Amino acid sequence: MSVKYSRLKEIRAGLDPAIKEIRFTLKRIRKSPLSTAGIAIILFFALIAIFAEVIAPPVTRDPYMMWHDGYSSIPKPPGTPVLDPIAQKAGWTIHLLGTSEMQYDLLYGIIWGTRTAFRIGVLVEAIAVILGILIGSISGYYGGVIDEIMMRFTDVVLAFPGLILSMALVIALPRVWPMDFGFVLLLIALSVGPTIVGHFLKIQGRWVLVSTLVAVLLFIALYTWVLGTRIWTINMELSQLDKVLIALALIGWPGYCRVIRGETFRVKQEAYVEAAKAVGCSDLRIIARHILPNSIYPVIIMASLGIGGTVLTAAALSFLGIGAPAGYADWGQMISFARNWIWAGFQNPWQYWYTFTIPGIVIFFFVLGWNLLGDAFRDVLDPTLRRR
Amino acid sequence: MSVLIETRKLKKYYPVFKGILRRKVAEVKAVDGVNLKILKGECFGLVGESGCGKTTFVKTILRLVDSTAGNIYLNVPADAIDEIDKLEKSGDSKRLRELRKKYDLTKFGGSKLLLMRRKMQIVHQDPTTSLDPRMLVKDIVAEPLIVQGIAKGSTARKRVLEILHKVGLTERHLYRYPHEFSVGQRQRIAVARALVTNPDFVVLDEPTSSVDVSVRAQLLNLFQDLQKDFNLTYIFVSHDLSIVECIAQRVAVMYLGKIVELAQTEELYKNPLHPYAQALFASIPIPDPTVKKRRPMLSGEVPSPVNPPAGCRFHPRCPKAMEICSRQEPELKDIGNGHLVACHTIH
Amino acid sequence: MTEDILKVEDLHVNFYTYEGVVEALDGVDLNIKKGETLGIVGETGCGKSVTGLSVLVLVPPPGRIESGKVVFVEKGKPVEMLTQKETLLRRIRGRNISMVFQDPRSALNPVYTAGNQIVEVLLHHRIKELIKRAIDLLDKEIQSGKKGFLKKFYKNALQTLLQNPRSLRIAIMRRIPILNGYKRIVKEEAKKEAIEMLRLMKIPDPERVVDMYPHELSGGMAQRVVIAIALACNPDLLIADEPTTNLDVTVQLQILQLIRELKEKLSSTIAYITHDMGIVAEMCDRVAVMYAGSVVELGDVLEIFQNPLHPYTKALLESIPRPEQPFKSIGGIVPSLINPPKGCRFNDRCPYTMETCRKVKPKMVEIKKDHFVECFLYPKA
């Protein structure tokens, strides 16, 4: 039978088994009510984030800085009418959920805070996952000295309590950071270099390590002693939120690194990796094509749970005052504004309950949604429970 | 028939580290000096019990495991081998080193090794773990072509289909995951992957031990047909002696890292000379209830290859052990008709 | 005519899995005569292990025994296993019927020594005997004049224990450190018995082996320990589920010889489950051939090998590799038991399939004396 190689047919036919797998996954998710609940919650939040401009029309020029209705510092209860004429023109008539200190509208803050939450959560986890995968898979695949060095480095980061370290990092990161690009290149070279070099020179194993280590050492020597000055320095402007992102990502990656390393050890022993070596696959190809797809499941589950955790940590940082800048649409920010209003005297102490309860509940549901999703992933993707 | 593979004094030792300073205290002598010649176009059987080193040996030939010492010559022209022989005796080390660098498989690296890998392939024991569960069949079988740079895209697809037809699968099977197939079909996919680069020889590492009896025969028939069609050479490693009897032309018996006997299949099964081989063949259960029941000839079990006994490795368990057996290791000697034995009691 | 020691009638076992209901056993009929070795042979997935577990009513969830009868004759009295209470079953398991599993390493608990595991079985089933022996030992020691205050005390305690296991004295003494030393004496007796068992298993140097952990033992030794545990209480019936599959072929021969000798010495009955026809020919007196959840042929071993009646048995015997002959395989694959084919489950692979085979499942009929087949090719005798 003649073989017609049509790219389009390829793609469509190639999707079929993938589609079958996705359908199987979805069916299994649907069977568990908690998982469906998790997905529903996240979808709900996602819709709010996407349609934020429609649901809560922006009033100020930068929609992320919450508008405030006047300057009174006493929060107003839900139902108070909006006084600011600009806000009224934009479409606001009453404060549906009340206002917080400095008259920030709570509903606006919640809705735009959803966007911030997604941004922080997803970005931080993505960076942490990528870093973790890079270091973890290399460390796990080669073992030996490389593994020891990388693991000690990871241990250093893990030794600090996460929240404290992130606080320290946020405070220490300057507003304008002269990032030494050369150093970053060095780090990348150390971690990924051996595999890439080996792929192109078609060598595997020990020789790759030795040769690349030698090259890297030469580079360090050249850089530090011979040149002395910094080259490739880029001045990066960091907003407060960027600092939070970087700090949280830097404390998040060791967890993924350890998981991927453990999984890499397991997958390395499997027969199909040996079969791939017998065929002549370079280390890079084995890691990228064979080891990573088979070791990614725990990471997916961790990442889902981690998004919730990151949002919580960011909220904590905001509450402590070193997270998002004042007035930024961030749930943690909103709770930090309620700091003085949690207890309002002995008569009617919970008078201003809405200032902290409402953002708190929103955070709770957001994190719950991701946790349920993570559990759903775990149940569905557990290889022993699937039919494979 | 010409020699396809020749191994000389092939050794693989694994170090054993103990103590806080991780010093080497002992060595596991998995393969301890194996000299073997495998002829082109034959099916060579390699049998032995667990721990004898047969799997390590074939993996060393395939360079999946790096040998500790010894040479492997794959498809080397006869005059080069002759010259190497002469030089080994006379001792012109410079020319010897040159030749070895050119022909010795253990010294290959980089792209040279990559090219050699086309010629030698392996079919693993358990097809469930030897196929990547996250790859489609079409990718699994096409991977060798892409990695070796032989073909891409539509040319690769054509070749993949060709091979799949030869092992009895069709186009419908291209876009599926391995777990959707039965064990026998998975093994066929593994065979297809092994043959797609048109290798000279294929190592079959116990390929039928994870399949049912009814599927076993199908696979064995497939191996024989493919051997004829593609003019392959097989190294059939197995602990199932009855299957090896039916499919191999020559068989070697390994014990604790050394070959103790090698002969034509019929000759070996009818007339084993080495005491271990005798005990081994006598312990195959015979599916005939009228045959007299056998008594075990050996006591104890295979000792660990960490500290093999001095002299002949088999002498502590050997019913015919003599005094010399505990002092001196017997050499593999040809006693005629290609029948080699390593035993003091024979010579 | 020797009577049956075990009779299985129309056993149905289902496994309720995520993918569906696996009809593992679909009407298994077989009987084991006292003193014989019955071979249960079949490919992977035919249900032979499940049959073995069902006899002991040990089918793990999600499996469930749906219907059928399993009658075990204990000292002349028939006991219907499937309707018994758990306490009675626990008394039978290990003492009257015991089982040897396929992988010795996973059958042994890795955190207890080999001796400990044999002692555990002995203490559970043969406690009275061991107490009596301990009393005799203490008697001898007292009479031989050694200082005997504590010993008299222990002897007293043991005698009370023997007569009145629930006495208040024992209940109190049990927990107090020096007073409960009688336990130690009984355990030592048990350990001596364990060493004797290991010696019976032809394990060299049993005093050393009894304190070794399973990971220190080689495969053959570990399997001998498992057999020792199984035979510790001299059971009437031993079910051996592929005990030599994971072992080297020379060790396999040793273990088979050992099982043969022990069977002679202890005059027990063996149900030997395997997929190797060679072992069946060597070890068994009668053979039950299973396919996809039911016994398709049952008869004397010579009959089965020389005169197989069921098409599956014939194909199985033909597929044994012989030199100088092409390999004969059985076309098709074993059907999935989640939606098994209607009628005879062999119908899609059988060269002699008829219309009835696709509709109705054949019943077990006796064609010749003591040779049963489940096949429509053979009209009822």
mmCIF file of all heavy atoms in Angstrom, chain A residues 66-78:
data_model
loop_
_atom_site.group_PDB
_atom_site.id
_atom_site.type_symbol
_atom_site.label_atom_id
_atom_site.label_comp_id
_atom_site.label_asym_id
_atom_site.label_seq_id
_atom_site.Cartn_x
_atom_site.Cartn_y
_atom_site.Cartn_z
ATOM 1 N N MET A 66 -5.759 49.604 42.986
ATOM 2 C CA MET A 66 -7.177 49.732 43.296
ATOM 3 C C MET A 66 -7.568 51.198 43.472
ATOM 4 O O MET A 66 -6.832 51.986 44.054
ATOM 5 C CB MET A 66 -7.483 48.977 44.589
ATOM 6 C CG MET A 66 -7.139 47.498 44.506
ATOM 7 S SD MET A 66 -7.741 46.601 45.934
ATOM 8 C CE MET A 66 -6.504 46.959 47.140
ATOM 9 N N TRP A 67 -8.753 51.538 42.995
ATOM 10 C CA TRP A 67 -9.203 52.896 43.186
ATOM 11 C C TRP A 67 -9.826 52.997 44.575
ATOM 12 O O TRP A 67 -10.340 52.060 45.122
ATOM 13 C CB TRP A 67 -10.207 53.278 42.100
ATOM 14 C CG TRP A 67 -11.416 52.369 42.046
ATOM 15 C CD1 TRP A 67 -11.504 51.206 41.399
ATOM 16 C CD2 TRP A 67 -12.666 52.576 42.669
ATOM 17 N NE1 TRP A 67 -12.731 50.660 41.556
ATOM 18 C CE2 TRP A 67 -13.483 51.472 42.340
ATOM 19 C CE3 TRP A 67 -13.200 53.603 43.460
ATOM 20 C CZ2 TRP A 67 -14.800 51.372 42.781
ATOM 21 C CZ3 TRP A 67 -14.511 53.484 43.904
ATOM 22 C CH2 TRP A 67 -15.305 52.380 43.566
ATOM 23 N N HIS A 68 -9.703 54.203 45.122
ATOM 24 C CA HIS A 68 -10.330 54.363 46.426
ATOM 25 C C HIS A 68 -11.331 55.514 46.411
ATOM 26 O O HIS A 68 -11.112 56.565 45.822
ATOM 27 C CB HIS A 68 -9.303 54.527 47.533
ATOM 28 C CG HIS A 68 -8.174 55.452 47.200
ATOM 29 N ND1 HIS A 68 -8.109 56.708 47.690
ATOM 30 C CD2 HIS A 68 -7.075 55.265 46.446
ATOM 31 C CE1 HIS A 68 -7.000 57.283 47.255
ATOM 32 N NE2 HIS A 68 -6.356 56.425 46.475
ATOM 33 N N ASP A 69 -12.388 55.236 47.080
ATOM 34 C CA ASP A 69 -13.532 56.154 47.085
ATOM 35 C C ASP A 69 -13.361 57.121 48.251
ATOM 36 O O ASP A 69 -13.934 56.964 49.310
ATOM 37 C CB ASP A 69 -14.793 55.308 47.245
ATOM 38 C CG ASP A 69 -16.055 56.091 46.977
ATOM 39 O OD1 ASP A 69 -15.960 57.185 46.418
ATOM 40 O OD2 ASP A 69 -17.136 55.563 47.315
ATOM 41 N N GLY A 70 -12.587 58.141 48.059
ATOM 42 C CA GLY A 70 -12.367 59.076 49.170
ATOM 43 C C GLY A 70 -11.144 58.681 49.965
ATOM 44 O O GLY A 70 -10.373 57.805 49.573
ATOM 45 N N TYR A 71 -10.908 59.333 51.071
ATOM 46 C CA TYR A 71 -9.709 59.054 51.854
ATOM 47 C C TYR A 71 -10.000 58.664 53.289
ATOM 48 O O TYR A 71 -9.097 58.523 54.084
ATOM 49 C CB TYR A 71 -8.784 60.278 51.846
ATOM 50 C CG TYR A 71 -8.195 60.506 50.492
ATOM 51 C CD1 TYR A 71 -8.825 61.374 49.580
ATOM 52 C CD2 TYR A 71 -7.050 59.834 50.097
ATOM 53 C CE1 TYR A 71 -8.299 61.558 48.321
ATOM 54 C CE2 TYR A 71 -6.525 60.023 48.839
ATOM 55 C CZ TYR A 71 -7.156 60.883 47.955
ATOM 56 O OH TYR A 71 -6.618 61.059 46.714
ATOM 57 N N SER A 72 -11.263 58.481 53.631
ATOM 58 C CA SER A 72 -11.597 58.122 55.004
ATOM 59 C C SER A 72 -10.955 56.786 55.341
ATOM 60 O O SER A 72 -10.924 55.876 54.518
ATOM 61 C CB SER A 72 -13.115 58.023 55.150
ATOM 62 O OG SER A 72 -13.433 57.282 56.279
ATOM 63 N N SER A 73 -10.455 56.677 56.543
ATOM 64 C CA SER A 73 -9.756 55.435 56.868
ATOM 65 C C SER A 73 -10.671 54.406 57.496
ATOM 66 O O SER A 73 -10.266 53.307 57.807
ATOM 67 C CB SER A 73 -8.591 55.706 57.815
ATOM 68 O OG SER A 73 -9.088 56.300 58.995
ATOM 69 N N ILE A 74 -11.928 54.718 57.692
ATOM 70 C CA ILE A 74 -12.823 53.742 58.317
ATOM 71 C C ILE A 74 -13.521 52.966 57.226
ATOM 72 O O ILE A 74 -14.124 53.556 56.328
ATOM 73 C CB ILE A 74 -13.884 54.458 59.181
ATOM 74 C CG1 ILE A 74 -13.182 55.332 60.226
ATOM 75 C CG2 ILE A 74 -14.783 53.442 59.836
ATOM 76 C CD1 ILE A 74 -14.144 56.155 61.027
ATOM 77 N N PRO A 75 -13.445 51.656 57.293
ATOM 78 C CA PRO A 75 -14.092 50.847 56.249
ATOM 79 C C PRO A 75 -15.605 51.010 56.299
ATOM 80 O O PRO A 75 -16.194 51.155 57.351
ATOM 81 C CB PRO A 75 -13.706 49.412 56.606
ATOM 82 C CG PRO A 75 -12.626 49.504 57.598
ATOM 83 C CD PRO A 75 -12.742 50.812 58.275
ATOM 84 N N LYS A 76 -16.200 50.964 55.118
ATOM 85 C CA LYS A 76 -17.635 51.090 55.057
ATOM 86 C C LYS A 76 -18.253 49.732 54.774
ATOM 87 O O LYS A 76 -17.702 48.942 54.011
ATOM 88 C CB LYS A 76 -18.036 52.068 53.932
ATOM 89 C CG LYS A 76 -17.512 53.471 54.110
ATOM 90 C CD LYS A 76 -18.611 54.385 54.578
ATOM 91 C CE LYS A 76 -18.130 55.780 54.926
ATOM 92 N NZ LYS A 76 -16.951 56.279 54.307
ATOM 93 N N PRO A 77 -19.400 49.429 55.340
ATOM 94 C CA PRO A 77 -20.001 48.101 55.177
ATOM 95 C C PRO A 77 -20.545 47.896 53.768
ATOM 96 O O PRO A 77 -20.699 48.864 53.021
ATOM 97 C CB PRO A 77 -21.149 48.114 56.192
ATOM 98 C CG PRO A 77 -21.465 49.534 56.389
ATOM 99 C CD PRO A 77 -20.202 50.295 56.223
ATOM 100 N N PRO A 78 -20.878 46.647 53.438
ATOM 101 C CA PRO A 78 -21.398 46.350 52.104
ATOM 102 C C PRO A 78 -22.709 47.084 51.864
ATOM 103 O O PRO A 78 -23.553 47.162 52.747
ATOM 104 C CB PRO A 78 -21.640 44.840 52.123
ATOM 105 C CG PRO A 78 -20.843 44.320 53.230
ATOM 106 C CD PRO A 78 -20.641 45.414 54.199
#
